């Protein structure tokens, strides 16, 4: 459904991605693992249009997305939960969610937003209790829930999740993974970057392993879990 | 005591003009970290356009027209000057560009309306209202106070209550994250420039009957408002009101007790003092980001 083909990208003159190809099939949870600085976040930024490609193709189904600005890519149905959450600190929880549905809400479909709010509050009941609070005053875990909820408000066709468990306590990591599993059974197509590789492979359908801006290995989550090289390099980290 | 009160009252309306122009600086600063250094010319153009229009369609019907004119003028400044500079990542290009567009605006104004100062007819009676035992307040001073407060309150309300307003706040908080929500953040910055100039243009119309009207009328106002924006903090609405009032009143006292020649000194002293003690401004927030 979401395909990156032979992507080269970088910052200024430094190239970070050297020919990345990733395919995220409809309804599947695909996971991207790799050590720090491998280029996982850069890949996600390319996929949502935050970072322009130098060469290669980005497409959602038959629709080419390369060269589009981030706000246009989002309108085609790609929703990105960025690394570090990046909720809007001076807006309330409710306003963050409303802004997440910006495009639909702008054209007077406010009634439909209520359904999405209910759905998001279903995944993250804690957000409902805190809905009037400023997002900047939420705890790290609550901000993560808000970042995910906000991304869901646009009814995305593909969800990009960059290290949603970063900096969370084990209990909250479980909550975040529970939400991801729930989304998966609801049929959501997702690309997930995770440091807890073992946990991620436990829930993913397919996985890619990145090193130095290249895909060095890919296969079904089952295959990768059984791969001894993977086990040594990445699977030490379960939580 | 009587004279002290009288000076305060006179300082308030000028102070609110400073405050509302400074508020305009804040509008563009929060979304784009840039300022329109042609704000004084936007103010003068607003007053001159208002002067011509009011003789034609009347004072009150002229106000919404000047609002529209300001919106368009500010949007043009952003599109022509600021956006290209930011695109080429030129760190200070926007400063030169906004100053240059200001100068062009001033030259155009001089060509159309001439270099001499004009008289802006007051829409309200020009006889002071007497309060208590002899406090004199000009009706126009009250209109300035009410008008300036109304503009700030309205923009504050729009940004809190409407979806587009929230999108502007989101852009100010985190431009990249806002673009991930499908918000065209470039348009939000254009909008903030439009609002900023509209505020300045209306401030020009408000202040014009109290001062003289001409292409250069905004220069010192904009400079002092800039000081107020720094004194109050570039991200605090309350700060510019307090800063503006302090400056407006301080100027009245200096002019009365020292000499009108020293009228501009208190603003500069306050600016230097605040920069030395609290560089983020009296009410400036240091932004805390949670990890
Ligand atoms: N804004 C930037 N400007 C220049 N170089 C950058 C920038 N962001 C990332 N890089 C570089 O690109 C490389 C890949 O970074 P990236 O953030 O994609 O890695 P990552 O796999 O997400 O790492 P982590 O696990 O630490 O999040 C790194 O060498 C990094 O230093
Ligand atoms: Mg990363």
């Amino acid at each position: 459904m979401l395909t990156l083909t032979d992507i080269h990208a970088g910052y200024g003159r430094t190239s970070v991605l050297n020919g990345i190809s990733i395919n995220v099939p409809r309804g599947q949870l695909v996971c991207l693992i790799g050590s720090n600085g491998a280029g996982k976040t850069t890949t996600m930024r390319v996929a949502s249009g935050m970072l322009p490609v130098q060469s290669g193709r980005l497409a959602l189904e038959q629709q080419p997305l390369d060269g589009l600005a981030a706000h246009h890519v989002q309108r085609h149905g790609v929703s990105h939960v960025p690394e570090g959450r990046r909720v809007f600190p001076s807006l309330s929880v409710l306003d963050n969610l409303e802004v997440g549905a910006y495009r639909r809400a702008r054209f007077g479909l406010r009634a439909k937003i209520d359904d999405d709010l209910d759905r998001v509050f279903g995944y993250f009941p804690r957000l409902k209790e805190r809905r009037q609070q400023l997002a900047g005053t939420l705890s790290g875990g609550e901000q993560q829930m808000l970042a995910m909820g906000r991304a869901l408000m646009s009814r995305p066709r593909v969800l990009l999740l960059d290290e949603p468990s970063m900096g969370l306590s084990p209990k909250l990591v479980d909550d975040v993974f529970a939400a991801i599993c729930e989304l998966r059974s609801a049929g959501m197509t997702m690309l997930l970057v995770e440091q807890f590789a073992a946990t991620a492979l436990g829930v993913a359908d397919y996985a890619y392993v990145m090193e130095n801006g290249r895909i060095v290995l890919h296969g079904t989550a089952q295959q990768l879990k059984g791969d001894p090289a993977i086990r040594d390099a990445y699977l030490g980290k379960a939580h | 005591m009587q004279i002290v009160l009288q000076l305060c009252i006179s300082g308030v309306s000028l102070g609110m003009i400073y405050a509302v122009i400074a508020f305009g600086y804040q509008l563009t600063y929060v979304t784009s970290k840039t300022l329109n250094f042609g704000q004084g010319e936007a103010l003068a153009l607003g007053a001159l356009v208002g002067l011509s229009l009011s003789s034609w369609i009347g004072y009150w019907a002229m106000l919404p027209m000047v609002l529209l004119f300001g919106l368009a003028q500010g949007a043009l400044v952003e599109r022509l000057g600021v956006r290209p500079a930011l695109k080429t990542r030129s760190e200070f290009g926007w400063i030169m560009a906004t100053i240059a567009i200001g100068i062009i605006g001033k030259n155009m104004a001089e060509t159309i309306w001439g270099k001499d100062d004009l008289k802006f007819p007051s829409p309200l009676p020009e006889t002071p209202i007497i309060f208590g035992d002899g406090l004199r307040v000009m009706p126009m001073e009250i209109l300035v106070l009410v008008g300036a407060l109304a503009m700030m309150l309205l923009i504050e309300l729009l940004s809190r209550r409407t979806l587009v307003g929230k999108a502007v706040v989101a852009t100010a908080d985190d431009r990249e994250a806002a673009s991930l929500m499908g918000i065209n953040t470039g348009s939000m910055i254009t909008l903030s420039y439009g609002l900023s100039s509209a505020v300045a243009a209306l401030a020009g119309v408000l202040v014009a009957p109290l001062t003289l009207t001409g292409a250069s009328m905004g220069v010192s106002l904009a400079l002092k408002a800039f000081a107020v924006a720094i004194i109050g903090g570039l991200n605090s609405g309350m700060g510019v009101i307090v800063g503006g009032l302090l400056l407006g009143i301080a100027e009245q006292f200096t002019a009365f007790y020292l000499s009108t020649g020293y009228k501009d000194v208190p603003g500069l002293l306050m600016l230097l003092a605040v920069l030395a003690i609290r560089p983020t401004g009296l009410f400036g927030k240091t932004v805390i980001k949670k990890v």
Side-chain angles (χ1 to χ4, degrees), chain A residues 129-206:
Chain A
E129 296 164 30
R130 306 252 155 192
R131 63 185 178 280
Q132 301 299 347
Q133 194 172 323
L134 287 184
T137 64
L138 293 176
S139 75
E142 289 162 347
Q143 288 191 0
Q144 185 60 56
M145 295 174 198
L146 180 56
M148 288 177 68
R150 183 181 67 173
L152 289 173
M153 288 299 291
S154 66
R155 297 194 190 161
R157 295 161 72 196
V158 179
L159 192 61
L160 309 174
L161 295 159
D162 195 346
E163 305 220 22
S165 65
M166 190 165 58
L168 300 188
S169 68
K171 163 81 179 70
L172 283 172
V173 174
D174 285 342
D175 288 352
V176 165
F177 270 100
I180 292 173
C181 289
E182 228 177 301
L183 282 169
R184 182 176 171 243
S185 11
M188 179 64 76
T189 310
M190 285 180 279
L191 178 58
L192 169 69
V193 167
E194 231 338 300
Q195 49 173 333
F196 294 121
T199 321
L201 287 178
V203 297
D205 297 294
Y206 202 85

Side-chain angles (χ1 to χ4, degrees), chain A residues 11 14 16 34-43 45 83 162-163:
Chain A
Y11 304 92
T14 41
V16 175
S35 48
N36 292 119
K40 306 181 295 294
T41 296
T42 307
T43 305
R45 290 168 63 90
E83 187 173 34
D162 195 346
E163 305 220 22

Side-chain angles (χ1 to χ4, degrees), chain B residues 13 19 43 81 86 111 113 132 154:
Chain B
S13 58
L43 180 143
L86 290 184
T111 323
W113 286 279
L154 188 69

Side-chain angles (χ1 to χ4, degrees), chain B:
Chain B
M1 194 54 218
Q2 178 84 17
I3 187 67
V4 168
L5 260 177
Q6 184 65 56
L7 288 172
C8 286
I9 288 171
S10 311
V12 164
S13 58
L14 193 58
M16 283 310 290
I17 289 291
Y18 296 150
V20 79
I21 304 170
F23 183 74
Y25 283 125
Q26 292 182 330
L27 288 174
T28 65
Y29 182 75
V30 294
T31 53
S32 65
K33 297 285 175 287
T34 63
L35 303 169
N36 182 1
F37 283 107
Q39 195 77 319
E41 284 71 28
L43 180 143
L45 280 172
L48 289 166
V49 167
L51 177 62
S52 294
L53 282 175
S54 63
S55 66
W56 183 32
I57 55 176
Y59 186 86
W60 304 105
M62 164 274 287
L63 293 178
M65 296 293 154
V66 168
L67 173 80
L68 289 179
F69 170 79
L71 281 172
Q73 195 265 350
L76 206 66
V77 170
E78 197 272 339
R79 282 295 164 102
L80 293 183
V82 181
R83 189 176 292 198
L86 290 184
K87 229 176 218 138
T88 56
R89 290 174 203 279
S90 122
E91 185 103 23
F92 300 109
W94 58 269
I95 300 181
M96 287 313 299
T98 55
I99 292 175
I101 295 175
I103 293 173
I104 295 172
K106 192 171 139 198
N107 289 342
M108 277 168 61
E110 282 170 348
T111 323
I112 300 173
W113 286 279
K115 286 193 181 185
D116 298 327
D117 284 324
L118 306 168
K119 165 108 185 73
F120 198 116
S122 173
L124 299 176
E126 289 186 271
T127 44
I129 307 170
I130 314 283
F131 288 98
D133 38 36
L135 275 182
R136 298 151 58 89
V137 182
M138 300 293 290
M140 200 56 217
E141 289 180 330
I142 299 175
L143 183 62
V144 165
L145 173 68
V146 172
L149 274 177
M151 278 194 264
M152 289 191 268
L153 277 177
L154 188 69
I155 290 180
E156 196 62 29
L157 210 66
L158 287 177
S159 73
R160 280 181 201 203
R161 291 289 155 81
T162 66
L163 185 64
V164 171
K166 290 170 194 174
V168 172
V169 176
T171 305
D173 271 356
D174 186 335
R175 185 171 173 189
E176 241 182 12
S179 73
L180 290 180
M181 304 299 116
I183 296 167
N184 183 345
T185 55
S187 304
M188 296 302 133
I189 292 174
T190 310
L191 176 64
S192 71
Y193 262 83
L195 283 174
S196 171
S197 281
V199 162
L202 285 172
V205 166
L206 281 176
V207 78
L210 297 172
T211 61
L212 291 166
T213 311
S216 317
M217 69 182 285
V219 176
S220 94
L221 286 173
L223 200 64
K224 287 177 188 168
F226 183 68
V228 164
I230 303 293
I231 290 168
L234 273 166
N235 49 14
S236 162
M238 208 51 214
V240 290
I241 295 184
V242 173
L245 291 179
L246 276 177
L247 181 58
I249 291 168
E251 283 186 351
Q252 291 294 325
F253 276 83
T254 323
F256 185 81
Y257 287 109
L258 287 171
S259 141
T260 43
Y262 290 122
K263 211 177 144 196
D264 296 337
V265 173
L268 294 173
L269 286 182
M270 277 163 70
L271 182 61
L272 291 176
V274 168
L275 286 179
I277 303 162
R278 266 188 72 98
T280 54
L282 288 179
F283 293 78
K285 291 163 268 195
T286 6
V287 182
I288 303 161
K289 267 197 182 153
K290 269 210 175 124
V291 186

